[in-house]
Protein backbone atom coordinates (compact mmCIF):
# COMPACT_ATOMS: atom_id res chain seq x y z
CA UNK A 1 0.00 0.00 0.00
CA UNK A 2 1.32 3.46 -0.96
CA UNK A 3 0.45 6.34 1.34
CA UNK A 4 -0.04 9.81 -0.01
CA UNK A 5 -0.26 13.32 1.43
CA UNK A 6 -1.88 16.20 -0.42
CA UNK A 7 -0.58 19.71 0.29
CA UNK A 8 -3.33 22.28 -0.25
CA UNK A 9 -7.03 21.35 -0.20
CA UNK A 10 -8.09 23.88 -2.82
CA UNK A 11 -9.46 23.21 -6.29
CA UNK A 12 -6.73 20.87 -7.55
CA UNK A 13 -5.97 19.29 -4.15
CA UNK A 14 -9.60 18.40 -3.49
CA UNK A 15 -9.74 17.09 -7.07
CA UNK A 16 -6.78 14.77 -6.38
CA UNK A 17 -8.58 13.42 -3.29
CA UNK A 18 -11.72 12.93 -5.37
CA UNK A 19 -9.86 11.01 -8.08
CA UNK A 20 -8.19 8.80 -5.46
CA UNK A 21 -11.63 8.12 -3.88
CA UNK A 22 -13.66 7.69 -7.06
CA UNK A 23 -11.13 5.68 -9.06
CA UNK A 24 -9.53 3.80 -6.15
CA UNK A 25 -9.75 0.43 -7.93
CA UNK A 26 -8.41 1.72 -11.24
CA UNK A 27 -5.61 3.56 -9.46
CA UNK A 28 -4.66 0.41 -7.49
CA UNK A 29 -4.72 -1.72 -10.63
CA UNK A 30 -2.56 0.72 -12.52
CA UNK A 31 -0.12 1.32 -9.63
CA UNK A 32 0.12 -2.37 -8.72
CA UNK A 33 -0.94 -1.68 -5.14
CA UNK A 34 -3.57 0.35 -3.29
CA UNK A 35 -2.90 4.07 -3.00
CA UNK A 36 -4.27 5.55 0.20
CA UNK A 37 -4.64 9.17 1.23
CA UNK A 38 -3.17 9.66 4.70
CA UNK A 39 -2.94 13.43 5.18
CA UNK A 40 -4.21 16.69 3.75
CA UNK A 41 -2.18 19.76 4.68
CA UNK A 42 -4.10 23.03 4.80
CA UNK A 43 -4.30 26.10 7.01
CA UNK A 44 -8.05 25.64 7.22
CA UNK A 45 -10.24 23.00 8.88
CA UNK A 46 -12.96 21.30 6.88
CA UNK A 47 -15.75 20.42 9.33
CA UNK A 48 -18.16 17.89 7.84
CA UNK A 49 -15.77 16.91 5.02
CA UNK A 50 -15.35 13.15 4.49
CA UNK A 51 -11.60 13.60 5.02
CA UNK A 52 -11.90 16.04 7.96
CA UNK A 53 -9.90 13.80 10.30
CA UNK A 54 -6.95 13.61 7.88
CA UNK A 55 -6.43 17.37 7.74
CA UNK A 56 -3.24 18.55 9.45
CA UNK A 57 -1.75 22.03 9.77
CA UNK A 58 1.91 21.14 10.33
CA UNK A 59 4.04 19.98 7.37
CA UNK A 60 6.42 18.22 9.77
CA UNK A 61 3.76 15.64 10.66
CA UNK A 62 3.89 14.57 7.00
CA UNK A 63 7.65 14.90 6.55
CA UNK A 64 8.39 12.88 9.72
CA UNK A 65 5.96 10.08 8.89
CA UNK A 66 7.97 7.19 7.39
CA UNK A 67 4.78 5.72 5.90
CA UNK A 68 4.35 8.61 3.46
CA UNK A 69 5.78 7.70 0.04
CA UNK A 70 4.36 10.43 -2.18
CA UNK A 71 3.54 14.08 -1.63
CA UNK A 72 1.20 15.89 -4.04
CA UNK A 73 1.87 19.62 -3.86
CA UNK A 74 -1.22 21.44 -5.12
CA UNK A 75 -0.81 24.68 -3.19
CA UNK A 76 0.60 26.80 -6.02
CA UNK A 77 2.98 29.75 -5.73
CA UNK A 78 6.68 29.70 -4.87
CA UNK A 79 6.73 29.75 -1.09
CA UNK A 80 6.14 27.85 1.09
CA UNK A 81 5.66 25.24 -1.66
CA UNK A 82 9.36 25.33 -2.67
CA UNK A 83 10.59 24.74 0.89
CA UNK A 84 8.02 21.98 1.47
CA UNK A 85 8.99 20.20 -1.76
CA UNK A 86 12.73 20.45 -1.11
CA UNK A 87 12.34 19.10 2.42
CA UNK A 88 10.13 16.27 1.20
CA UNK A 89 12.71 15.18 -1.39
CA UNK A 90 15.54 15.42 1.14
CA UNK A 91 13.48 13.20 3.46
CA UNK A 92 13.26 10.61 0.67
CA UNK A 93 9.69 11.25 -0.37
CA UNK A 94 8.72 11.59 -4.00
CA UNK A 95 6.86 14.72 -5.03
CA UNK A 96 4.38 15.42 -7.79
CA UNK A 97 2.88 18.81 -8.44
CA UNK A 98 0.58 20.94 -10.56
CA UNK A 99 2.53 24.07 -9.56
CA UNK A 100 3.73 25.58 -12.86
CA UNK A 101 5.18 28.74 -11.25
CA UNK A 102 7.45 26.61 -9.07
CA UNK A 103 8.38 24.10 -11.78
CA UNK A 104 9.22 26.91 -14.24
CA UNK A 105 11.37 28.66 -11.64
CA UNK A 106 13.04 25.71 -9.86
CA UNK A 107 12.01 22.49 -11.66
CA UNK A 108 15.52 21.47 -12.81
CA UNK A 109 17.09 21.81 -9.35
CA UNK A 110 14.18 19.86 -7.81
CA UNK A 111 14.67 17.10 -10.39
CA UNK A 112 18.38 16.97 -9.46
CA UNK A 113 17.54 16.92 -5.75
CA UNK A 114 15.13 14.04 -6.35
CA UNK A 115 17.87 12.16 -8.19
CA UNK A 116 20.35 12.67 -5.33
CA UNK A 117 17.86 11.17 -2.91
CA UNK A 118 16.74 8.36 -5.24
CA UNK A 119 13.15 9.56 -5.36
CA UNK A 120 11.14 11.19 -8.14
CA UNK A 121 9.91 14.66 -9.02
CA UNK A 122 7.07 14.75 -11.56
CA UNK A 123 4.89 17.62 -12.73
CA UNK A 124 2.56 16.40 -15.47
CA UNK A 125 -0.30 18.69 -14.33
CA UNK A 126 1.82 21.84 -14.62
CA UNK A 127 1.39 22.00 -18.43
CA UNK A 128 -1.80 21.34 -20.36
CA UNK A 129 -3.89 20.30 -17.33
CA UNK A 130 -5.09 16.78 -18.01
CA UNK A 131 -3.20 16.33 -21.30
CA UNK A 132 -0.49 13.66 -20.86
CA UNK A 133 2.11 15.67 -22.77
CA UNK A 134 5.07 15.72 -20.39
CA UNK A 135 4.93 11.95 -19.84
CA UNK A 136 4.87 11.48 -23.60
CA UNK A 137 7.95 13.68 -24.05
CA UNK A 138 9.66 11.87 -21.21
CA UNK A 139 8.73 8.40 -22.35
CA UNK A 140 7.17 7.68 -25.77
CA UNK A 141 9.16 10.43 -27.51
CA UNK A 142 12.42 9.97 -25.61
CA UNK A 143 14.17 8.51 -28.66
CA UNK A 144 13.14 11.46 -30.88
CA UNK A 145 15.17 14.59 -31.53
CA UNK A 146 12.43 17.11 -30.78
CA UNK A 147 13.10 20.25 -32.76
CA UNK A 148 9.91 22.23 -32.22
CA UNK A 149 7.09 22.51 -29.72
CA UNK A 150 4.21 24.88 -30.43
CA UNK A 151 1.19 25.13 -28.20
CA UNK A 152 -2.00 26.84 -27.22
CA UNK A 153 -1.20 26.63 -23.54
CA UNK A 154 -3.72 28.89 -21.87
CA UNK A 155 -7.43 28.10 -21.81
CA UNK A 156 -8.59 31.52 -20.63
CA UNK A 157 -7.00 33.45 -23.49
CA UNK A 158 -8.08 30.85 -26.04
CA UNK A 159 -11.65 31.20 -24.75
CA UNK A 160 -11.45 35.01 -25.05
CA UNK A 161 -9.97 34.91 -28.59
CA UNK A 162 -12.56 32.35 -29.70
CA UNK A 163 -15.45 34.49 -28.38
CA UNK A 164 -14.02 37.66 -29.97
CA UNK A 165 -13.78 35.84 -33.29
CA UNK A 166 -17.13 34.01 -33.30
CA UNK A 167 -19.26 36.70 -31.63
CA UNK A 168 -17.52 39.87 -32.79
CA UNK A 169 -17.31 41.23 -29.26
CA UNK A 170 -14.35 43.29 -27.97
CA UNK A 171 -11.67 42.07 -25.57
CA UNK A 172 -12.92 43.93 -22.46
CA UNK A 173 -16.52 42.68 -22.86
CA UNK A 174 -15.48 39.07 -23.41
CA UNK A 175 -13.08 39.22 -20.48
CA UNK A 176 -15.85 40.49 -18.21
CA UNK A 177 -18.16 37.66 -19.36
CA UNK A 178 -15.39 35.10 -18.84
CA UNK A 179 -14.84 36.43 -15.33
CA UNK A 180 -18.57 36.23 -14.56
CA UNK A 181 -18.63 32.61 -15.73
CA UNK A 182 -15.52 31.74 -13.72
CA UNK A 183 -13.38 31.06 -16.81
CA UNK A 184 -11.10 34.00 -16.04
CA UNK A 185 -9.61 35.11 -12.73
CA UNK A 186 -10.70 38.38 -11.10
CA UNK A 187 -7.08 39.43 -11.63
CA UNK A 188 -6.60 38.18 -15.20
CA UNK A 189 -3.07 39.54 -15.71
CA UNK A 190 -1.22 36.20 -15.61
CA UNK A 191 -3.44 34.82 -18.36
CA UNK A 192 -4.07 37.80 -20.64
CA UNK A 193 -0.49 39.11 -20.52
CA UNK A 194 0.81 35.67 -21.48
CA UNK A 195 2.69 35.01 -18.21
CA UNK A 196 0.92 31.68 -17.60
CA UNK A 197 1.66 30.46 -21.13
CA UNK A 198 5.25 31.65 -20.63
CA UNK A 199 5.69 29.42 -17.54
CA UNK A 200 4.30 26.46 -19.49
CA UNK A 201 6.48 26.91 -22.58
CA UNK A 202 9.47 27.39 -20.23
CA UNK A 203 8.75 23.92 -18.77
CA UNK A 204 8.27 22.36 -22.21
CA UNK A 205 11.42 24.08 -23.52
CA UNK A 206 13.42 22.82 -20.55
CA UNK A 207 12.30 19.26 -21.28
CA UNK A 208 13.06 19.73 -24.97
CA UNK A 209 16.54 21.16 -24.37
CA UNK A 210 17.32 19.01 -21.32
CA UNK A 211 18.49 22.18 -19.56
CA UNK A 212 16.88 25.03 -17.68
CA UNK A 213 15.03 27.55 -19.83
CA UNK A 214 14.41 30.46 -17.53
CA UNK A 215 10.91 31.86 -18.05
CA UNK A 216 12.27 35.37 -17.46
CA UNK A 217 14.34 35.04 -20.65
CA UNK A 218 11.31 34.26 -22.83
CA UNK A 219 9.93 37.13 -24.89
CA UNK A 220 6.24 37.33 -23.94
CA UNK A 221 3.32 39.27 -25.38
CA UNK A 222 -0.29 38.78 -24.31
CA UNK A 223 -3.60 39.31 -26.08
CA UNK A 224 -4.71 42.67 -24.68
CA UNK A 225 -3.93 44.54 -27.90
CA UNK A 226 -5.94 42.21 -30.15
CA UNK A 227 -9.10 43.89 -31.48
CA UNK A 228 -12.20 42.68 -33.30
CA UNK A 229 -10.88 44.41 -36.45
CA UNK A 230 -7.94 42.01 -36.37
CA UNK A 231 -10.36 39.09 -36.66
CA UNK A 232 -12.05 40.74 -39.61
CA UNK A 233 -8.72 40.78 -41.47
CA UNK A 234 -7.87 37.29 -40.23
CA UNK A 235 -11.07 35.91 -41.78
CA UNK A 236 -10.13 37.57 -45.08
CA UNK A 237 -6.75 35.85 -44.93
CA UNK A 238 -8.27 32.45 -43.95
CA UNK A 239 -6.45 32.58 -40.68
CA UNK A 240 -7.19 32.37 -36.96
CA UNK A 241 -5.55 34.39 -34.18
CA UNK A 242 -4.12 32.28 -31.36
CA UNK A 243 -1.80 32.94 -28.45
CA UNK A 244 1.09 30.55 -29.06
CA UNK A 245 3.95 29.42 -26.88
CA UNK A 246 6.77 28.08 -29.02
CA UNK A 247 10.24 26.63 -28.75
CA UNK A 248 12.30 25.89 -31.84
CA UNK A 249 15.77 24.44 -32.06
CA UNK A 250 18.18 26.21 -34.40
CA UNK A 251 21.95 26.46 -34.96
CA UNK A 252 22.29 28.98 -32.14
CA UNK A 253 20.35 27.09 -29.48
CA UNK A 254 16.66 27.32 -28.68
CA UNK A 255 14.35 30.10 -29.69
CA UNK A 256 11.34 30.54 -27.43
CA UNK A 257 8.52 33.04 -27.49
CA UNK A 258 4.92 33.66 -26.39
CA UNK A 259 2.82 35.95 -28.60
CA UNK A 260 -0.43 36.10 -30.57
CA UNK A 261 -0.02 34.68 -34.09
CA UNK A 262 -2.10 34.56 -37.25
CA UNK A 263 -2.29 30.88 -38.19
CA UNK A 264 -3.59 29.45 -41.51
CA UNK A 265 -6.89 27.63 -40.98
CA UNK A 266 -5.44 24.41 -42.39
CA UNK A 267 -3.10 24.20 -39.38
CA UNK A 268 -4.87 22.08 -36.70
CA UNK A 269 -3.87 24.63 -34.03
CA UNK A 270 -6.11 27.18 -35.76
CA UNK A 271 -9.12 25.00 -34.97
CA UNK A 272 -8.51 24.63 -31.25
CA UNK A 273 -11.28 26.68 -29.70
CA UNK A 274 -12.69 27.69 -26.34
CA UNK A 275 -10.90 26.62 -23.17
CA UNK A 276 -9.09 23.77 -24.90
CA UNK A 277 -5.30 23.51 -25.15
CA UNK A 278 -3.24 21.82 -27.85
CA UNK A 279 0.45 21.11 -28.13
CA UNK A 280 2.17 20.22 -31.39
CA UNK A 281 5.49 18.44 -31.05
CA UNK A 282 7.79 17.91 -34.00
CA UNK A 283 10.29 15.08 -33.81
CA UNK A 284 12.99 14.42 -36.41
CA UNK A 285 11.70 10.92 -37.19
CA UNK A 286 8.09 11.15 -36.05
CA UNK A 287 7.13 14.42 -37.72
CA UNK A 288 4.25 16.23 -36.03
CA UNK A 289 2.14 14.85 -33.23
CA UNK A 290 -0.55 16.93 -31.58
CA UNK A 291 -1.97 16.63 -28.07
CA UNK A 292 -5.40 18.13 -27.45
CA UNK A 293 -7.57 18.37 -24.38
CA UNK A 294 -8.66 20.29 -21.34
CA UNK A 295 -5.80 22.45 -20.15
CA UNK A 296 -7.44 23.45 -16.89
CA UNK A 297 -10.21 22.48 -14.51
CA UNK A 298 -10.32 20.59 -11.24
CA UNK A 299 -10.78 17.01 -12.40
CA UNK A 300 -8.63 17.13 -15.53
CA UNK A 301 -5.71 18.64 -13.63
CA UNK A 302 -6.20 16.30 -10.67
CA UNK A 303 -6.23 13.31 -13.01
CA UNK A 304 -2.76 14.31 -14.25
CA UNK A 305 -1.48 14.61 -10.66
CA UNK A 306 -2.79 11.11 -9.90
CA UNK A 307 -1.10 9.78 -13.05
CA UNK A 308 2.18 10.95 -11.47
CA UNK A 309 1.28 9.28 -8.14
CA UNK A 310 0.77 6.02 -10.03
CA UNK A 311 4.05 6.34 -11.94
CA UNK A 312 5.93 7.05 -8.71
CA UNK A 313 4.26 4.12 -6.93
CA UNK A 314 5.16 1.78 -9.79
CA UNK A 315 8.78 2.92 -9.54
CA UNK A 316 9.09 2.90 -5.75
CA UNK A 317 12.75 2.81 -4.75
CA UNK A 318 13.87 4.22 -8.11
CA UNK A 319 14.37 7.71 -9.48
CA UNK A 320 12.28 8.37 -12.61
CA UNK A 321 14.59 10.13 -15.09
CA UNK A 322 13.41 13.55 -16.24
CA UNK A 323 15.48 15.24 -18.96
CA UNK A 324 16.07 18.58 -17.21
CA UNK A 325 19.47 19.64 -15.90
CA UNK A 326 19.90 22.73 -13.73
CA UNK A 327 22.42 24.40 -16.08
CA UNK A 328 21.00 27.15 -18.29
CA UNK A 329 19.98 26.30 -21.86
CA UNK A 330 21.46 28.40 -24.63
CA UNK A 331 18.69 30.59 -26.02
CA UNK A 332 18.99 32.21 -29.40
CA UNK A 333 17.99 35.87 -29.59
CA UNK A 334 14.56 36.82 -30.87
CA UNK A 335 16.09 39.44 -33.19
CA UNK A 336 17.18 36.88 -35.81
CA UNK A 337 13.84 35.08 -36.15
CA UNK A 338 12.40 35.69 -39.62
CA UNK A 339 8.69 35.88 -40.45
CA UNK A 340 5.97 38.09 -41.94
CA UNK A 341 4.00 40.58 -39.88
CA UNK A 342 0.44 41.84 -40.31
CA UNK A 343 0.29 45.60 -39.65
CA UNK A 344 -2.56 48.12 -39.37
CA UNK A 345 -2.07 51.88 -39.65
CA UNK A 346 -4.47 54.82 -40.20
CA UNK A 347 -5.40 55.32 -43.87
CA UNK A 348 -3.39 58.55 -44.12
CA UNK A 349 -0.21 56.64 -43.20
CA UNK A 350 -0.48 54.26 -46.19
CA UNK A 351 2.22 55.95 -48.28
CA UNK A 352 4.59 56.20 -45.34
CA UNK A 353 4.02 52.51 -44.53
CA UNK A 354 4.69 51.51 -48.15
CA UNK A 355 7.88 53.52 -48.16
CA UNK A 356 9.12 52.00 -44.90
CA UNK A 357 8.15 48.38 -45.61
CA UNK A 358 8.87 48.34 -49.34
CA UNK A 359 7.00 47.22 -52.40
CA UNK A 360 6.67 43.56 -51.41
CA UNK A 361 3.88 44.15 -48.91
CA UNK A 362 0.49 42.53 -49.49
CA UNK A 363 -2.44 44.87 -48.87
CA UNK A 364 -5.37 43.30 -46.97
CA UNK A 365 -8.94 44.61 -47.07
CA UNK A 366 -10.88 43.88 -43.88
CA UNK A 367 -14.63 43.24 -43.92
CA UNK A 368 -16.42 46.35 -42.67
CA UNK A 369 -13.22 48.03 -41.51
CA UNK A 370 -12.80 51.59 -42.69
CA UNK A 371 -10.28 54.40 -42.36
CA UNK A 372 -7.21 52.24 -42.12
CA UNK A 373 -4.53 50.61 -44.21
CA UNK A 374 -3.57 47.00 -43.45
CA UNK A 375 -0.84 44.89 -44.97
CA UNK A 376 1.37 41.86 -44.55
CA UNK A 377 5.12 42.44 -44.74
CA UNK A 378 7.61 40.38 -46.67
CA UNK A 379 9.62 37.86 -44.60
CA UNK A 380 11.82 40.00 -42.36
CA UNK A 381 13.70 39.52 -39.12
CA UNK A 382 12.21 40.58 -35.79
CA UNK A 383 14.99 43.16 -35.46
CA UNK A 384 14.34 44.57 -38.92
CA UNK A 385 10.61 44.75 -38.17
CA UNK A 386 11.22 46.47 -34.84
CA UNK A 387 13.47 49.07 -36.50
CA UNK A 388 10.96 49.80 -39.27
CA UNK A 389 7.80 49.86 -37.15
CA UNK A 390 9.44 52.44 -34.85
CA UNK A 391 9.57 54.83 -37.80
CA UNK A 392 5.80 54.72 -38.24
CA UNK A 393 3.81 56.64 -35.67
CA UNK A 394 0.17 55.85 -34.80
CA UNK A 395 0.42 52.11 -35.63
CA UNK A 396 -2.94 50.54 -34.77
CA UNK A 397 -1.52 47.11 -34.18
CA UNK A 398 0.51 44.25 -35.57
CA UNK A 399 0.42 40.46 -35.32
CA UNK A 400 3.04 37.92 -36.36
CA UNK A 401 2.23 35.32 -39.01
CA UNK A 402 2.93 31.68 -38.15
N1 LIG B 1 -5.36 29.99 -16.06
C1 LIG B 1 -4.90 28.79 -16.67
C2 LIG B 1 -5.52 28.66 -18.07
C3 LIG B 1 -5.22 27.62 -15.81
O1 LIG B 1 -6.43 29.44 -18.38
O2 LIG B 1 -5.11 27.84 -18.86
C4 LIG B 1 -4.49 26.36 -16.12
O3 LIG B 1 -3.11 26.48 -15.96
Amino acid sequence: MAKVAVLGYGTVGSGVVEVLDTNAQEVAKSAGEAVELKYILDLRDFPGDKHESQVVHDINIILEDPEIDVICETMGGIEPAFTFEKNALIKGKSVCTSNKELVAAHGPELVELAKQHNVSYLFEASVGGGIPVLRSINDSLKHEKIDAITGILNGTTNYILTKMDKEGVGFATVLKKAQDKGYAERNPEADVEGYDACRKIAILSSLMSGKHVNYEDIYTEGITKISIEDFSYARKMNMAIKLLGMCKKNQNGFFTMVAPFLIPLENPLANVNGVFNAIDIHGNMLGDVMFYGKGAGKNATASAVVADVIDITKHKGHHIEVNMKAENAQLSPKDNAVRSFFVRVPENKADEAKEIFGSKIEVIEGENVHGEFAFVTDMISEKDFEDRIKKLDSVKGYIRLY
Side-chain angles (χ1 to χ4, degrees), residues 84-336:
F84 289 177
E85 289 192 5
K86 272 194 294 192
N87 289 341
L89 296 169
I90 289 165
K91 288 272 179 192
K93 298 178 190 310
S94 289
V95 173
C96 54
T97 186
S98 54
N99 189 340
K100 61 206 162 208
E101 292 91 353
L102 183 54
V103 178
H106 298 289
E109 66 186 90
L110 290 162
V111 168
E112 288 194 354
L113 193 62
K115 189 169 187 165
Q116 282 163 25
H117 293 273
N118 198 35
V119 287
S120 297
Y121 184 67
L122 300 180
F123 38 88
E124 180 64 73
S126 65
V127 177
I131 305 171
V133 62
L134 303 192
R135 180 157 290 100
S136 302
I137 294 174
N138 210 27
D139 187 2
S140 319
L141 305 180
K142 215 169 180 173
H143 61 288
E144 282 288 326
K145 292 182 185 167
I146 296 175
D147 47 39
I149 298 182
T150 313
I152 293 172
L153 300 168
N154 182 269
T156 305
T157 46
N158 205 45
Y159 172 85
I160 293 173
L161 292 174
T162 305
K163 285 277 170 194
M164 286 174 77
D165 184 14
K166 309 281 180 231
E167 295 175 12
V169 188
F171 172 78
T173 313
V174 179
L175 173 61
K176 170 90 181 50
K177 271 194 194 165
Q179 285 173 318
D180 292 346
K181 286 191 173 174
Y183 293 156
E185 304 279 346
R186 285 285 136 210
N187 179 358
E189 196 188 15
D191 291 317
V192 300
E193 297 294 355
Y195 307 150
D196 176 79
C198 170
R199 301 301 190 278
K200 293 168 179 166
I201 196 65
I203 296 169
L204 289 165
S205 310
S206 297
L207 284 171
M208 179 174 157
S209 66
K211 294 182 179 169
H212 191 191
V213 174
N214 188 339
Y215 69 88
E216 287 166 319
D217 295 334
I218 298 178
Y219 177 84
T220 301
E221 265 180 35
I223 63 162
T224 54
K225 291 182 190 146
I226 302 293
S227 71
I228 46 173
E229 286 80 12
D230 290 320
F231 288 99
S232 164
Y233 291 105
R235 276 190 289 275
K236 257 309 191 38
M237 292 188 274
N238 289 320
M239 291 191 177
I241 303 171
K242 298 289 173 193
L243 182 70
L244 297 182
M246 60 174 64
C247 178
K248 287 184 197 298
K249 194 174 185 320
N250 59 28
Q251 312 89 298
N252 303 319
F254 295 86
F255 169 71
T256 69
M257 171 184 249
V258 173
F261 276 81
L262 279 154
I263 314 176
L265 290 181
E266 56 267 25
N267 185 319
L269 286 171
N271 299 299
V272 174
N273 290 317
V275 293
F276 281 87
N277 283 195
I279 300 123
D280 183 285
I281 299 182
H282 188 270
N284 66 326
M285 293 293 141
L286 175 72
D288 284 293
V289 61
M290 190 164 119
F291 296 80
Y292 171 86
K294 276 196 185 162
K298 174 177 166 173
N299 290 347
T301 310
S303 176
V305 176
V306 172
D308 284 346
V309 173
I310 291 169
D311 209 0
I312 287 167
T313 306
K314 275 176 19 192
H315 293 90
K316 222 186 257 182
H318 301 278
H319 167 73
I320 301 170
E321 280 293 332
V322 175
N323 185 32
M324 228 192 206
K325 293 202 169 47
E327 71 191 87
N328 285 338
Q330 176 158 9
L331 297 186
S332 74
K334 157 176 157 294
D335 286 358
N336 303 336

